[in-house]
Amino acid sequence: MKVQLQPVYSRLAETVPEELRTRLPLGWRLSQHQVETYQALTEGDAEVIFNTALTGDGKSLAGQLPILVRGGVNYPILAMYPTNELIEDQQAQVERAIKTWNADVEYRWLNKAALDQAMAEDDYTRRGEALMRIIRNGDLVLTNPDIFHYVMHQFYTYPDDAPDRYAAPLAQKFSQLTFDEFHVFDVPQVISVLNALLFIQETSGIARPHKFLFLSATPSPLMRAYLERSGLRVKFIEGQYATHGEPAHWRRILNPVAVHFVAAQRAEDWIEQSADDVVLRFFLDRRPHAKGAIIVNSVGSALRIYHKLKPRFEAHGLSVALNIGLTSRHSRRASYEADLLVGTSTVDVGVDFRINFLLFESHSAGSFIQRLGRLGRHGDYQRGGRTFAFCDYVAYAVLPNWLIERLFNSQGESPAPLTAGAELDRQQFNEAIRSAFPPVAEFAQYAQTWGKFQSLKILFGLSRKTIREQYQQQRTTLQKRYEATFGVRLSSAIPQYKELAGQGSPLLEEALSFRGSSSLVCGVIDPSESWQADRFKVMDLLQAIANYELSYVSEEAFYRQVSQARLNPKAFQNQQPLGFFELGQPKEFQAYQFWLDKDLGHWSADQFGKAQAIKGLHVDASFPGCDEVNNRLSRRTLPALLCAGMHPLEMKRRLALPLLFPLYSFTSRDNVSGTIALERAALLLDARLRYHPLQCGGSAVIV
């Protein structure tokens, strides 16, 4: 089945404010939404601006216009991106923009690696001080919301510090805070950011109001609901689009795309059958006017596809490169030059591809639209000083058969969302995709169960004796705003917070983190990397077991080689790896489950289906070094939720959980089996079960 997507044109601004018009580079035209964003950021009373323009329509530039026009001293910006991949992509874009606009802007890149480097260079003993050095020296700071979370929630402060030691200078430094591609985050991150924004607004104490800019083509309904209740003044800015238009008033932002729908459970199964006739043939027929990407849901699939296609392409002088979360920075950069890139979600968020071929899987309507949005953004690519134009754009969307049936077959009296051979615009197409994918849980109750502790942490910090008097009024007002925004009663949650904090509970640590913890990691040596320093990595233990042939390496040998590569062992030690391996060739997926060294037959219903601290876990799989790994793992206490008698897939179906929500099978010492969720997933599932009860074991239904 195939449909044809029409091109997309964005409306150009007919009038531009003088301050902006006089600074425009020669020959430049801005889209209407970019000018509206500039105006909302530099004038008016809106505090939160949401730009929902389509992928490829210059949302990032819209957010940078104030600093490019007014300069960094007059309009400093803290810009946050969800992945290091996107930060690197934006770094290159910012360098070009500063040069093109001849702007007086000093930019800095701030992430964990930059912090480590700053600490090493200037012999800092506190990460907060190293962080402030970077912030003080940059007008435009490109970072991630993780660091912002840890600053605003006071994780960098010491017990004797004023809780606002780093939060206050950060809030006072920047006129604008930008959150790019924010739709990729879930409810815990939404709560974290809104906590911080309300904190800044109530405590900054400066006359100049902050502007908070969110760039997202698909803001979640939950985010909208929180904003409506927050008291923040919000302005939504949309792009204006058409399928054709005069060059004087419209600019093409997306080229026409032929979308083929392929029925298969996994992309790698279909590629195995169609690698030569479809994938390779596309490149041979158009060579050298072809460049493409394959984006799949799992690391294992990407690895196997890469190794299957690489020799086939190389036999014809074509290159294939891998880009997954494990890929080093040098290899990621090189991957964009390859004829065909094979990657995962690390490349489908915001990265600006120059491709005319795309084959992709999707785990939701949002990921489908996001990944398809990588295609058709450019008319050519450059290589070796030459430019090669694209003549057409082709996508292959690999979906399970039942989903394709929902797209192309009528449901009762409702017509089919899509018709084979139809030509339609992007809005119609995106609506059809959203209607076919089943809705997934947003975990709206998370704020009432675990998200409330993030708000309390900020309030408790403002209650410490060093600033208690200074922030008395703001503390009272802030608590009321938190309660109104998230629908919680914080006073009643204080005893539970104090109890968990007094126990040093991993549940509270998990709830207070930004993305959640990662206890199941291992140190690996990756021989596929060309640079010696890039070969040493930390990766998810379960991904390593499931997808690679492994050779076990002793802890001493691993850190000896790390030191020989002139790397700091602490960067690995701080993540407490469970074991150490050298990666071999990818393999067919190896199943695994967890074994729990505990009897569960006597558990009551209120113990199952509830997040709690669990000790005694083992990975039940055959792999080198499993005894040593499990010895370490069994001694760790992890947040977990157990549901007896139910398979993970059944649990996902009944609770409308996302396809990639991490659930695993488990068996206990007394042979009770079922589903286990760990760490952040355990807290999210706990919130879901409190309001959508299931029989998870014991003698009664969860209430």
Side-chain angles (χ1 to χ4, degrees):
M1 304 244 187
K2 183 182 82 167
V3 299
Q4 182 69 39
L5 299 186
Q6 296 170 334
V8 178
Y9 289 79
S10 175
R11 186 171 188 83
L12 295 171
E14 296 184 10
T15 59
V16 179
E18 183 179 359
E19 180 187 39
L20 178 55
R21 186 179 65 252
T22 57
R23 295 281 295 128
L24 272 176
L26 185 64
W28 273 53
R29 295 285 305 276
L30 295 174
S31 292
Q32 179 63 33
H33 76 88
Q34 292 173 323
V35 172
E36 290 179 13
T37 301
Y38 175 81
Q39 292 175 309
L41 290 170
T42 56
E43 59 189 65
D45 64 353
E47 296 156 325
V48 174
I49 297 95
F50 236 111
N51 184 313
T52 63
L54 287 180
T55 294
D57 197 13
K59 291 192 295 294
S60 295
L61 175 62
Q64 294 161 8
L65 287 175
I67 196 172
L68 294 173
V69 170
R70 298 187 173 184
V73 173
N74 298 315
Y75 201 96
I77 295 176
L78 181 70
M80 289 162 275
Y81 306 91
T83 65
N84 285 332
E85 189 83 5
L86 189 49
I87 294 175
E88 291 181 24
D89 186 69
Q90 284 300 309
Q91 182 183 7
Q93 188 272 331
V94 163
E95 289 177 350
R96 291 193 299 269
I98 291 173
K99 182 177 180 180
T100 302
W101 287 71
N102 192 27
D104 184 13
V105 176
E106 290 289 334
Y107 81 90
R108 294 290 184 271
W109 182 13
L110 173 59
N111 65 0
K112 181 180 180 297
L115 273 179
D116 291 340
Q117 183 177 349
M119 291 191 71
E121 288 177 351
D122 288 354
D123 198 26
Y124 285 108
T125 58
R126 298 174 56 146
R127 292 184 75 78
E129 297 303 319
L131 181 146
M132 294 311 298
R133 189 203 78 173
I134 296 173
I135 285 176
R136 283 192 297 267
N137 294 331
D139 306 320
L140 173 59
V141 177
L142 310 177
T143 185
N144 54 57
D146 308 62
I147 288 178
F148 178 69
H149 167 87
Y150 289 114
V151 171
M152 304 311 297
H153 289 74
Q154 307 152 20
F155 280 92
Y156 290 123
T157 59
Y158 283 32
D160 293 335
D161 288 340
D164 61 351
R165 175 168 179 160
Y166 304 120
L170 183 147
Q172 292 165 3
K173 167 70 185 283
F174 297 105
S175 302
Q176 174 185 320
L177 280 71
T178 299
F179 301 87
D180 206 344
E181 302 288 351
F182 196 70
H183 58 272
V184 306
F185 288 116
D186 295 323
V187 62
Q189 292 85 29
V190 171
I191 293 170
S192 164
V193 168
L194 287 178
N195 271 328
L197 300 198
L198 292 171
F199 169 73
I200 288 172
Q201 192 184 58
E202 288 296 328
T203 63
S204 60
I206 57 177
R208 180 188 63 205
H210 287 86
K211 296 288 187 173
F212 307 118
L213 174 64
F214 291 86
L215 305 175
S216 174
T218 54
S220 73
L222 189 61
M223 178 72 169
R224 286 177 178 260
Y226 286 157
L227 285 172
E228 288 174 2
R229 302 199 297 258
S230 69
L232 292 164
R233 293 185 292 272
V234 185
K235 182 179 182 63
F236 284 89
I237 296 173
E238 301 177 348
Q240 299 179 37
Y241 302 107
T243 57
H244 60 278
E246 293 293 329
H249 302 291
W250 299 86
R251 171 175 46 235
R252 182 184 285 197
I253 62 167
L254 289 173
N255 289 289
V257 173
V259 183
H260 299 260
F261 288 87
V262 175
Q265 204 62 35
R266 301 187 309 169
E268 63 178 296
D269 296 333
W270 184 78
I271 289 173
E272 183 70 35
Q273 303 170 2
S274 310
D276 294 325
D277 295 340
V278 178
V279 183
L280 179 59
R281 177 52 52 194
F282 180 92
F283 289 83
L284 295 179
D285 287 348
R286 294 161 179 80
R287 187 176 188 175
H289 302 277
K291 206 162 179 288
I294 295 175
I295 306 176
V296 291
N297 292 333
S298 77
V299 169
S301 289
L303 285 167
R304 291 185 288 271
I305 291 169
Y306 166 72
H307 281 272
K308 289 173 182 175
L309 292 182
K310 184 175 170 63
R312 286 177 159 136
F313 271 60
E314 287 183 344
H316 297 274
L318 297 168
S319 58
V320 181
L322 186 67
N323 191 322
I324 58 178
L326 190 65
T327 307
S328 70
R329 182 182 177 188
H330 294 105
S331 296
R332 286 201 305 268
R333 285 182 173 179
S335 70
Y336 295 114
E337 301 302 318
D339 295 296
L340 177 65
L341 178 152
V342 180
T344 56
S345 59
T346 55
V347 297
D348 69 13
V349 179
V351 177
D352 194 15
F353 279 127
R354 287 183 174 270
I355 56 174
N356 65 331
F357 173 88
L358 177 68
L359 191 154
F360 67 105
E361 293 177 324
S362 306
H363 52 82
S364 65
S367 70
F368 186 106
I369 295 168
Q370 183 75 22
R371 290 175 179 180
L372 183 59
R374 302 303 98 200
L375 181 64
R377 296 157 67 108
H378 297 282
D380 55 42
Y381 75 98
Q382 291 79 38
R383 179 179 290 166
R386 298 178 61 192
T387 298
F388 301 96
F390 298 134
C391 57
D392 61 349
Y393 302 84
V394 177
Y396 288 86
V398 181
L399 299 173
N401 191 61
W402 63 267
L403 194 49
I404 291 181
E405 289 181 357
R406 290 185 63 166
L407 279 168
F408 289 94
N409 295 338
S410 59
Q411 307 292 320
E413 297 182 358
S414 301
L418 293 177
T419 302
E423 183 175 340
L424 63 165
D425 65 38
R426 293 274 177 153
Q427 183 176 353
Q428 295 170 319
F429 181 76
N430 291 347
E431 288 174 356
I433 295 300
R434 293 189 185 100
S435 71
F437 275 86
V440 296
E442 278 199 304
F443 304 101
Q445 297 80 20
Y446 185 86
Q448 290 81 34
T449 53
W450 299 100
K452 59 190 177 186
F453 296 132
Q454 290 188 13
S455 303
L456 281 174
K457 187 174 192 312
I458 289 179
L459 293 173
F460 279 140
L462 296 178
S463 301
R464 279 154 60 178
K465 61 181 181 181
T466 51
I467 60 171
R468 184 183 304 155
E469 297 294 329
Q470 176 185 349
Y471 286 116
Q472 182 176 356
Q473 180 59 48
Q474 292 95 328
R475 197 167 57 246
T476 301
T477 305
L478 190 57
Q479 178 172 337
K480 291 179 180 178
R481 295 189 71 177
Y482 284 157
E483 291 179 336
T485 299
F486 303 121
V488 297
R489 291 290 301 274
L490 293 177
S491 297
S492 61
I494 290 174
Q496 186 184 5
Y497 181 98
K498 289 183 174 179
E499 179 184 359
L500 292 171
Q503 298 169 353
S505 171
L507 295 172
L508 183 60
E509 291 179 13
E510 192 68 38
L512 296 179
S513 65
F514 185 71
R515 299 190 199 229
S517 56
S518 301
S519 298
L520 275 69
V521 299
C522 57
V524 298
I525 303 171
D526 184 358
S528 68
E529 294 284 3
S530 301
W531 295 51
Q532 184 184 21
D534 289 340
R535 295 179 180 178
F536 300 92
K537 307 172 181 180
V538 172
M539 73 174 295
D540 181 77
L541 172 70
L542 302 179
Q543 286 189 359
I545 293 170
N547 299 307
Y548 287 94
E549 298 290 347
L550 300 173
S551 301
Y552 196 71
V553 178
S554 71
E555 183 175 6
E556 295 77 11
F558 180 82
Y559 285 119
R560 183 172 61 251
Q561 293 183 59
V562 165
S563 297
Q564 290 170 352
R566 298 185 178 181
L567 298 174
N568 187 351
K570 287 185 179 179
F572 300 89
Q573 293 166 346
N574 290 341
Q575 299 185 63
Q576 299 180 308
L578 290 166
F580 305 88
F581 305 94
E582 181 169 320
L583 300 181
Q585 291 297 308
K587 63 182 181 183
E588 291 302 312
F589 180 81
Q590 176 184 342
Y592 55 82
Q593 66 170 8
F594 285 96
W595 182 77
L596 180 59
D597 189 15
K598 187 185 292 289
D599 292 332
L600 304 179
H602 64 283
W603 273 27
S604 61
D606 61 356
Q607 290 175 284
F608 287 106
K610 179 181 179 182
Q612 56 192 292
I614 293 288
K615 194 175 183 179
L617 278 175
H618 297 70
V619 179
D620 186 6
S622 176
F623 59 94
C626 61
D627 291 340
E628 188 170 339
V629 167
N630 281 323
N631 183 44
R632 290 192 179 101
L633 176 58
S634 65
R635 297 199 301 267
R636 294 189 181 177
T637 303
L638 303 178
L641 182 147
L642 305 175
C643 188
M646 191 171 298
H647 190 274
L649 290 178
E650 174 64 12
M651 203 160 184
K652 289 182 182 182
R653 184 188 67 80
R654 294 182 64 177
L655 292 174
L657 300 177
L659 177 64
L660 301 184
F661 193 82
L663 297 179
Y664 311 103
S665 296
F666 82 91
T667 301
S668 69
R669 187 169 58 198
D670 57 347
N671 290 319
V672 174
S673 61
T675 293
I676 184 171
L678 298 173
E679 301 177 318
R680 176 56 57 78
L683 303 192
L684 288 166
L685 188 57
D686 176 284
R688 184 72 173 156
L689 284 170
R690 292 193 197 194
Y691 294 84
H692 297 80
L694 294 177
Q695 177 64 46
C696 276
S699 57
V701 176
I702 299 169
V703 294

